[in-house]
Amino acid sequence: MARRPAPEGVRQPGRTSRPRLTGLGGGLFCGASMFALACLDHLLFGGSATVYGVLFLPVCVLTALWVRPGDLVTAPVVVPIAFTCGLPPVTDDGGGGFAGFLMALVTTLALQAGWLYGGTLAAVLVVTVRRVRLVARRRAAQGRDRARSVPPGRQAR
């Protein structure tokens, strides 16, 4: 008895799929992850900015890997925003009220700019590689389609 092929929406066993996030979903994933990791950093390490920066790098790469091909440009944009969203639990306000907290937030952002640039650069590199592969795959598919459309007696130019 022959088996019918599985419907398109059903996952085949043995084939893994990775998440496909929209631009907004990538921003929400990245921002929520950074805030949760910052809270965890605050609880375990007392708000170490270095630990926060190290945890930022894999979140950047995952965001760039999981965003849909049509939304690739959004990954390098949402990553710095997410870095800033996660800073409040790591920032020490110094007892200066809201103005002191804002000043400490800006200071922390300035002092941790290396991690911010590194994570953004990692996202840009992943997105660039994914985009180059996507364009190459599309060109190869177009070439195959053109080769199929040429009649058997004719030669493609």
Side-chain angles (χ1 to χ4, degrees), residues 77-132:
V77 174
V78 301
V79 163
I81 297 168
F83 185 86
T84 308
C85 288
L87 276 181
V90 178
T91 302
D92 181 29
D93 66 351
F98 186 70
F101 174 74
L102 281 180
M103 187 61 92
L105 189 67
V106 170
T107 303
T108 304
L109 189 57
L111 292 174
Q112 300 306 316
W115 293 110
L116 177 63
Y117 293 148
T120 305
L121 180 63
V124 166
L125 290 175
V126 169
V127 164
T128 302
V129 168
R130 284 188 63 198
R131 181 69 182 162
V132 166

Side-chain angles (χ1 to χ4, degrees), residues 2-25:
R3 292 185 68 179
R4 292 186 321 188
E8 282 193 32
V10 177
R11 233 181 66 176
Q12 302 268 337
R15 292 187 74 184
T16 60
S17 66
R18 49 181 205 218
R20 293 289 179 202
L21 300 171
T22 62
L24 178 62

